[in-house]
Amino acid sequence: MTPSIRDMTAADTDGVAEVRVLGWRHAYRGLVPQPHLDAMDPAPFAAGLRRALPGLPAHTSHLVASAAGRVVGWACLGPYRPQDADWGEVRALYVHPDVLGTGVGRALLTAGTARLRAAGLPRVRLWVLRDNRRARRFYERAGFAPDGAVQSDEIDGADVPEVRYARG
C-alpha cells in the first residue's frame, strides 16, 4: 500500500480519532486494562484535535496517511517534552489494524522525522510501552534504540511501564 502522507485537517479528525482508538485496542490488548480500552470513545479526542489544530505550537505536526479516501494512519510530532535542545519527539503514531505491515507506519515515521529534521530537530526520541514487542521491533528496524530512560503510567490502577527510544 502506498499511502498519501499530508498534514491533518479538521476534516480528518474523526478518522484520526478512530485510528487512534482502534490502534490502542489492537496494540495494547493485554498491556492496558481491557475496561479502559473498551471505554475509549473517539468523539472527545476528535473534538480536542479540532480545537487544538488552529493553534499548534511551533514545529508541532499532525500527519495523516490516507488511502482509498480514508485515514489509515496518524502521527503527532514536535519538540521533545520537556524541551531539550535539538531533540524532536514522535508523540504518537498509530495505524489502522487492517493495514499493519503494509508500510503505512514506516511512511508516517519517515515523513515525520524528515519534518523534525527540517525544523532543526535532527535527533528524535519516543516512548513505547515496554511490553509492546511489535512496536519496539518496528522502531528498532527504523534505527531507534532504547536509551535507558524508563517511566511508568498508571491506567485504571495498573502499572504500565514505558521505555524511551532515541535515534540520532
Side-chain angles (χ1 to χ4, degrees):
M1 168 179 291
T2 305
S4 169
I5 307 295
R6 58 180 172 72
D7 287 308
M8 182 182 73
T9 67
D12 296 318
T13 57
D14 289 330
V16 165
E18 178 184 352
V19 164
R20 179 179 171 268
V21 168
L22 292 173
W24 265 69
R25 288 178 178 161
H26 180 82
Y28 303 151
R29 186 178 308 122
L31 305 178
V32 169
Q34 193 61 43
H36 181 83
L37 298 175
D38 293 342
M40 291 182 78
D41 180 359
F45 186 73
L49 284 175
R50 279 190 293 278
R51 282 191 305 274
L53 195 56
L56 287 179
H59 308 303
T60 299
S61 299
H62 288 275
L63 300 178
V64 296
S66 60
R70 70 181 182 122
V71 173
V72 294
W74 165 67
C76 178
L77 310 105
Y80 185 75
R81 302 162 299 168
Q83 186 62 39
D84 194 353
D86 79 347
W87 280 95
E89 180 178 7
V90 176
R91 298 175 182 174
L93 194 156
Y94 293 97
V95 172
H96 193 290
D98 290 348
V99 299
L100 284 172
T102 65
V104 171
R106 172 83 56 213
L108 278 168
L109 184 61
T110 299
T113 55
R115 173 94 44 109
L116 290 171
R117 194 170 36 260
L121 303 168
R123 300 183 302 164
V124 180
R125 291 177 174 147
L126 58 91
W127 290 93
V128 62
L129 295 189
R130 182 193 67 203
D131 297 329
N132 187 344
R133 306 227 183 279
R134 181 184 185 110
R136 291 182 70 169
R137 283 191 308 271
F138 169 79
Y139 291 118
E140 288 166 5
R141 284 192 303 268
F144 287 84
D147 68 2
V150 296
Q151 68 181 15
S152 192
D153 288 327
E154 183 182 315
I155 299 178
D156 290 351
D159 184 49
V160 182
E162 295 178 290
V163 295
R164 189 173 69 188
Y165 274 61
R167 183 179 79 186

